[in-house]
Amino acid sequence: MQYVRVGQSGLAVSRFALGMMTYGTPQWRPWVLDEEAARPLVRAAVEAGINFFDTADMYSAGASEEITGRLVREFCRRDEAVIATKVFFPVDIAFKGGNAAGPAIKPAPIASGLSRKRIFAAIDASLKRLGTDYVDLYQIHRFNPATPVEETMEALHDVVKSGKARYIGASSMYAWQFATLQHVAQRHGWTRFIAMQNHYNLVYREEEREMNAYCRATGVGLLPWSPPARGFLAGSRKRGEGGAADQAQGATSRAATDDIAQKFYYRDADFAVVEAVTALAKERGVANATISYAWLLRQEGVCSPIIGISKPGQLEQALAALELRLSADELSRLTAPYQPHPVIGHS
């Protein structure tokens, strides 16, 4: 395993972060694995040298944080593990369409967002679920226009100063929004973000326009989510098809039930990118995912892509990318088919 520091901070993390959204309860999403199924996968990641675990309070309505805390304690020393979680979306025990606890209900306005009240309540709840007295990286899941940026940044600063978080980060917003938050923190002498977890992969590169450049210029590390484009880059999906048809072609159960991927990608130009990845993967004798990770690792400013591991073999495909060197010509072949997208993934 290789290790890198997040931006200009002193926080050292493995070259990949393990995305813990995959683990929780299938009541939340049908493709989510329970703790028993997650245990051998998390153990394999730790044994491979991964020390960075990324979750969020809303994943599986808090169950992901609970599993993350238990498995990190089982396989790691706390001072050697880097735990990241997030705040913004409501943490609702009622899942889509309702569950055994009752029908789905609309959460109260104060149960989401980035107000001082919400942040203070959320960090305490996350720490309780994680079973730890601090998180290493506390991230705002989205930008919240309903709350003054001064209120949000001062609250995050107070969370750090209270010892409940070591660093703060952000995720999925416009570059001007992120710059505004950073500027307010700098002006007041408050804690600034060290990381941006953004939507960035071979079939969605709009972050290259503003956000990536801003982060590189200001020393913020990039932690891209969905490096394989929610499995789209695996090459198992077909034009004009989706859902069950994808699964029949060998896609995972997540691909068959993930309507978000079908909204994000599935354009002709997106399939052209996949075809380029598939062709190069065959030439190099590796999986499509390995090519996708190798490309992302070569992008300036990228620290630790967030990888999801739901079955054996996926970890090995990611680890193979650490040693795979792509030539300038190969990199060009992968990016040539790309066509601009509407901005997606922000709130």
Side-chain angles (χ1 to χ4, degrees):
M1 179 56 62
Q2 301 168 5
Y3 297 88
V4 65
R5 300 198 180 274
V6 179
Q8 293 180 349
S9 77
L11 182 63
V13 296
S14 48
R15 201 67 165 94
F16 287 112
L18 185 62
M20 303 301 289
M21 183 173 71
T22 306
Y23 316 123
T25 171
Q27 288 182 293
W28 185 65
R29 300 288 189 274
W31 44 264
V32 171
L33 305 181
D34 63 19
E35 185 169 353
E36 183 179 356
R39 178 171 284 102
L41 300 173
V42 175
R43 179 172 184 168
V46 172
E47 290 175 346
I50 289 179
N51 74 340
F52 190 7
F53 308 90
D54 178 78
T55 186
D57 56 3
M58 60 90 66
Y59 296 162
S60 289
S64 174
E65 286 186 323
E66 293 173 352
I67 290 174
T68 297
R70 286 194 291 267
L71 294 184
V72 167
R73 288 193 298 275
E74 184 174 344
F75 299 127
C76 305
R77 288 177 47 180
R78 179 64 186 94
D79 60 346
E80 295 178 348
V82 177
I83 298 176
T85 193
K86 309 180 192 74
V87 56
F88 175 79
F89 293 108
V91 182
D92 192 359
I93 61 170
F95 303 104
K96 184 186 299 183
N99 64 5
I105 57 175
K106 186 176 181 179
I110 59 173
S112 62
L114 297 174
S115 68
R116 187 176 184 87
K117 177 179 177 64
R118 166 69 173 138
I119 289 172
F120 281 16
I123 185 62
D124 286 343
S126 286
L127 293 178
K128 183 177 181 180
R129 286 189 291 264
L130 287 163
T132 184
D133 57 0
Y134 72 96
V135 293
D136 299 279
L137 182 63
Y138 197 47
Q139 303 162 108
I140 58 172
H141 218 151
R142 296 292 187 271
F143 181 81
N144 185 203
T147 302
V149 293
E150 289 83 1
E151 179 177 340
T152 294
M153 295 310 296
E154 185 177 22
L156 291 172
H157 175 71
D158 289 342
V159 167
V160 173
K161 290 305 175 183
S162 71
K164 296 178 181 180
R166 299 297 187 251
Y167 302 89
I168 58 173
S171 177
S172 293
M173 61 187 64
Y174 291 98
W176 71 263
Q177 295 170 329
F178 189 50
T180 299
L181 292 165
Q182 292 283 65
H183 174 70
V184 165
Q186 183 176 29
R187 189 176 71 212
H188 289 278
W190 296 332
T191 305
R192 300 176 67 195
F193 298 114
I194 67 163
M196 165 51 64
Q197 188 175 141
N198 55 351
H199 181 201
Y200 184 38
N201 54 53
L202 271 166
V203 287
Y204 185 77
R205 292 168 45 210
E206 300 309 302
E207 296 293 284
E208 292 176 352
R209 298 181 184 278
E210 298 288 345
M211 181 61 81
N212 290 4
Y214 173 77
C215 289
R216 289 195 301 268
T218 58
V220 173
L222 298 173
L223 311 174
W225 56 265
S226 199
R230 304 178 83 91
F232 183 79
L233 284 164
S236 58
R237 309 184 193 185
K238 305 298 179 183
R239 283 181 170 87
E241 299 180 358
D246 279 334
Q247 195 167 32
Q249 295 292 336
T252 63
S253 60
R254 178 174 181 177
T257 57
D258 187 5
D259 59 345
I260 295 177
Q262 295 165 25
K263 293 174 182 177
F264 278 8
Y265 314 117
Y266 277 77
R267 303 187 315 166
D268 284 345
D270 300 336
F271 281 102
V273 173
V274 175
E275 289 165 0
V277 172
T278 300
L280 183 56
K282 289 181 179 178
E283 292 175 20
R284 300 297 296 266
V286 298
N288 280 33
T290 300
I291 295 293
S292 302
Y293 291 133
W295 174 83
L296 195 55
L297 291 172
R298 284 287 303 274
Q299 305 312 302
E300 186 180 357
V302 170
C303 299
S304 297
I306 313 295
I307 60 172
I309 305 297
S310 61
K311 58 184 180 181
Q314 292 177 333
L315 176 62
E316 288 71 21
Q317 291 173 358
L319 296 176
L322 295 172
E323 305 301 328
L324 184 64
R325 297 292 180 263
L326 300 176
S327 68
D329 178 67
E330 289 171 328
L331 292 169
S332 179
R333 286 170 55 189
L334 293 173
T335 57
Y338 184 80
Q339 292 185 13
H341 280 256
V343 172
I344 52 180
H346 299 179
S347 58

